Amino acid sequence: MKNKNNNQLLMTLLKGRTFIVLIVLVIFFSIAAPSFLSMTTLTMVAKHVALYGILGIGMTFVIITGGIDLSVGSVVGLTGMLAGGLIQEGLTLGNKTIYFSVGLIIVIMMIFGMLVGVVNGLIVTKLNVAPFIATLGTMYICRGFANLRSGGATFAKIDGYEGLGNTGFKTFGSNWFGIPAGVYIFAILSILAFILLTKMAFGWHVLAVGGNEKSARLSGIRADRVKILVYMISGVCAAWVGIINTAQLSAAHPASGDGWEMNAIAATVLGGTSMAGGSGTIIGTIVGAFVIGVINDGMTMCNVSEFWQKIIRGLVIILAVVIDQVQRNLQAKMALQARNESK
């Protein structure tokens, strides 16, 4: 009985590990860097958490199905470049240049993000290419096109032109009532994702495909369609981050989002989504995004070398996967004990 109670206590701690780590980090950095809890710093952290969190939302759906999407960081850079180019230069067709409204540019970027997701999904499902390899390829392709769009240069004039009706893009990078616009978008997407994953049939299909794809197919679930849709969700989330990040920087740079796929994966895994697939929560990913944001900005404020920051991020990802495996093994052990006791 004592061993059983210890296992239950350990399981409770493992399930709440991300929130516990977040509290510890906030306390540590507030002591190490007294200005960490200032409004300026908290606003900066909120901006970064929103970006990592939105990417993490899409990544959560993908990882639950047993996949992974390494292309999201490059999609951030490419969509930013495409949006910046449409604002600064418009679209030239023959001898005519067309300028789009900001609303239409947002829609175009969403469609583009979806198309990248479709490509990833089709490569994984129809060509039977491993998700890691498929999305690694599209990661390089998207990053290459981001550089080709401007020859590696930056689009610095994204204010738009009043006479052309394409102003207002930078609104997505400003503060609304003192809170970064990205935080509002993050909140809306989080609510939609939570409903989709927990209250709708599609969410159960995602979990079923990740838990046991063969059984899911036998029960009538169209696993390939589910996989394509989760990559589409990931692509749309990446496109939103590309828009928000470009607006915050007031410029579009082809290197934007470089390496952010690692932040998205780390936030997702830290939040309890299993790399083996079949389990994960949006709320966990949100907390995981806060952890990554606090770690990154906290280390920067403490003047930790960028080289050490990379090492620490890598260790965080490894530790998160190890703890996830420990939790899975403990759950299996407790389930076995419960079956033995019921006999």
Side-chain angles (χ1 to χ4, degrees):
M1 179 62 71
K2 184 178 180 180
N3 187 47
K4 180 179 178 181
N5 291 335
N6 289 338
N7 287 339
Q8 290 176 340
L9 176 60
L10 180 58
M11 180 59 69
T12 300
L13 292 174
L14 287 173
K15 288 182 177 180
R17 64 185 180 273
T18 312
F19 188 70
I20 294 172
V21 169
L22 177 59
I23 294 175
V24 171
L25 286 172
V26 170
I27 294 173
F28 172 78
F29 285 122
S30 63
I31 296 173
S35 61
F36 182 77
L37 293 181
S38 67
M39 188 56 64
T40 301
T41 301
L42 292 178
T43 300
M44 176 185 67
V45 173
K47 286 182 177 181
H48 295 156
V49 167
L51 298 179
Y52 304 150
I54 294 173
L55 287 179
I57 288 172
M59 193 68 72
T60 299
F61 282 94
V62 173
I63 292 180
I64 287 177
T65 63
I68 198 162
D69 189 354
L70 299 179
S71 68
V72 293
S74 296
V75 174
V76 169
L78 181 52
T79 51
M81 290 301 295
L82 293 176
L86 287 175
I87 294 172
Q88 183 171 317
E89 298 180 346
L91 178 64
T92 301
L93 298 174
N95 296 322
K96 185 177 182 181
T97 300
I98 304 172
Y99 287 89
F100 301 95
S101 67
V102 169
L104 188 53
I105 289 174
I106 300 298
V107 172
I108 293 172
M109 293 307 103
M110 294 302 103
I111 294 174
F112 179 81
M114 275 193 276
L115 289 176
V116 174
V118 169
V119 171
N120 282 331
L122 289 175
I123 294 174
V124 170
T125 59
K126 303 306 179 184
L127 299 181
N128 293 317
V129 177
F132 181 90
I133 300 300
T135 58
L136 180 65
T138 51
M139 177 185 78
Y140 283 114
I141 292 171
C142 288
R143 186 64 67 188
F145 276 120
N147 282 281
L148 284 172
R149 177 62 184 85
S150 64
T154 299
F155 288 123
K157 298 178 181 178
I158 62 169
D159 292 328
Y161 307 92
E162 288 286 351
L164 299 174
N166 64 347
T167 58
F169 185 82
K170 291 173 68 173
T171 301
F172 291 96
S174 62
N175 291 347
W176 300 349
F177 306 105
I179 299 175
V183 173
Y184 292 98
I185 298 172
F186 176 35
I188 292 171
L189 292 177
S190 296
I191 293 171
L192 292 175
F194 177 81
I195 294 172
L196 187 60
L197 188 60
T198 62
K199 306 297 181 182
M200 300 183 70
F202 175 73
W204 297 109
H205 292 173
V206 170
L207 291 164
V209 170
N212 191 320
E213 184 174 336
K214 185 177 180 179
S215 296
R217 290 181 184 275
L218 291 174
S219 65
I221 295 175
R222 298 172 64 179
D224 286 355
R225 185 174 69 174
V226 170
K227 289 183 178 182
I228 292 172
L229 286 172
V230 297
Y231 281 104
M232 288 173 64
I233 292 172
S234 183
V236 169
C237 288
W240 265 118
V241 173
I243 291 166
I244 298 168
N245 183 61
T246 300
Q248 288 178 351
L249 296 175
S250 298
H253 191 279
S256 293
D258 186 29
W260 284 13
E261 59 278 354
M262 293 298 104
N263 289 324
I265 294 170
T268 304
V269 176
L270 277 172
T273 300
S274 174
M275 290 296 291
S279 65
T281 66
I282 298 300
I283 293 176
T285 297
I286 292 171
V287 179
F290 272 95
V291 170
I292 296 301
V294 169
I295 288 177
N296 288 348
D297 291 331
M299 287 193 297
T300 299
M301 292 190 67
C302 291
N303 297 317
V304 177
S305 165
E306 176 63 26
F307 307 130
W308 276 108
Q309 288 189 34
K310 291 181 178 179
I311 292 172
I312 293 171
R313 291 189 197 108
L315 291 173
V316 167
I317 294 175
I318 293 173
L319 182 61
V321 174
V322 170
I323 293 176
D324 173 66
Q325 188 60 49
V326 171
Q327 180 178 337
R328 290 170 64 85
N329 292 338
L330 184 58
Q331 285 176 326
K333 181 180 178 180
M334 292 176 65
L336 179 61
Q337 289 177 340
R339 284 197 298 269
N340 292 334
E341 290 175 0
S342 64
K343 292 181 180 179

